[in-house]
Amino acid sequence: MYPDVAIVDPSLTQSMPKNVTAFTGMDALTQLIESFVSKSANPYTDALCKDGIARISRSFKSAFDNGEDLNARTDISLAALFSGIALANAKLGAVHGIAGPMGGMIKAPHGLICARLLALVMEENVKQLRKNDSHSSALIKFQEVAGLLTADKEAAIEDGTEWIRDLVKYMKIPCLSDFGLDRAVCRSLGDKALKTSSIKGNPVELTREQITAILEKR
């Protein structure tokens, strides 16, 4: 499934509807962050992820507000490309581990699911890392993510998750409950998520109960 050639033309995205821009852009951001903090991350993927996150930070709102902004569209297209290369080489994490099976259970776009889960999963990962592995390099990387998103190197991890929540709110991305995510679905997703290949890159091993708790905060 690795292409020999990928033609990425930002001008082809200029007519993309705003909601599709939001969903696909949030999927790209999720892929960049998950690949960056992944257990399988390496210097090559780290460089791509950091550049991609910075591009999304500075251009996502512009691309969402004005589809004709070619500079913004170019930034987001490059970020999406980098996220694909990164995930192919560094794996993903719990957001995609949950989003995969969830996509077959409720009628919500994949990027919408990622958007609604990203901050919640980041917070749970950070909570567990601080509790069980306070010297983890992933914690340093989560702080780097916050700095890239907020353009403030001194930003705390919590500033990063708040930036994501503000962006989701700005783009008016619907709640998962609007698409049928109820308590019964949440309970069944824990076991399903743990069986996915995506979750293997998560920087900390989450339990079924922790995944269920994340979903119940939706």
Side-chain angles (χ1 to χ4, degrees):
M1 294 180 69
Y2 298 103
D4 293 321
V5 177
I7 298 173
V8 181
D9 184 350
S11 69
L12 297 178
T13 73
Q14 288 180 294
S15 61
M16 185 183 293
K18 293 183 77 167
N19 66 329
V20 179
T21 297
F23 302 158
T24 55
M26 286 304 301
D27 185 24
L29 177 59
T30 303
Q31 290 170 175
L32 288 163
I33 293 174
E34 290 202 303
S35 296
F36 186 52
V37 302
S38 167
K39 291 177 181 177
S40 301
N42 58 69
Y44 172 69
T45 57
D46 283 355
L48 291 174
C49 291
K50 286 193 284 188
D51 187 274
I53 293 168
R55 288 176 186 275
I56 284 182
S57 171
R58 71 182 181 227
S59 296
F60 201 173
K61 283 186 177 180
S62 296
F64 177 77
D65 289 335
N66 177 18
E68 295 299 315
D69 187 336
L70 189 58
N71 288 329
R73 289 287 179 177
T74 298
D75 267 348
I76 303 305
S77 295
L78 278 168
L81 174 63
F82 294 165
S83 77
I85 297 171
L87 74 86
N89 289 277
K91 296 186 173 65
L92 290 167
V95 175
H96 277 85
I98 297 169
M102 186 187 292
M105 301 172 73
I106 64 173
K107 294 182 179 180
H110 174 75
L112 181 152
I113 296 172
C114 290
R116 281 293 172 178
L117 292 179
L118 181 55
L120 293 171
V121 171
M122 287 172 65
E123 287 172 342
E124 186 64 28
N125 280 337
V126 169
K127 175 183 175 182
Q128 296 305 322
L129 286 168
R130 285 173 172 166
K131 179 180 178 181
N132 301 307
D133 189 6
S134 60
H135 298 293
S136 170
S137 61
L139 281 174
I140 298 172
K141 286 187 166 185
F142 275 120
Q143 195 277 325
E144 286 187 74
V145 168
L148 290 165
L149 291 175
T150 62
D152 177 6
K153 292 182 179 180
E154 302 302 318
I157 292 174
E158 290 74 16
D159 295 325
T161 52
E162 190 61 27
W163 186 95
I164 292 167
R165 283 197 170 90
D166 288 343
L167 180 64
V168 169
K169 183 177 180 181
Y170 181 86
M171 295 189 294
K172 296 181 173 62
I173 295 178
C175 296
L176 290 170
S177 56
D178 294 342
F179 293 86
L181 181 63
D182 55 24
R183 190 171 295 274
V185 174
C186 290
R187 284 197 298 267
S188 66
L189 271 167
D191 288 329
K192 294 179 186 294
L194 291 175
K195 295 175 182 177
T196 64
S197 59
S198 293
I199 206 167
K200 293 186 170 105
N202 205 59
V204 61
E205 291 187 14
L206 298 176
T207 65
R208 176 175 58 82
E209 290 75 20
Q210 288 162 349
I211 292 172
T212 302
I214 289 170
L215 292 168
E216 288 179 343
K217 294 177 184 177
R218 69 195 182 280

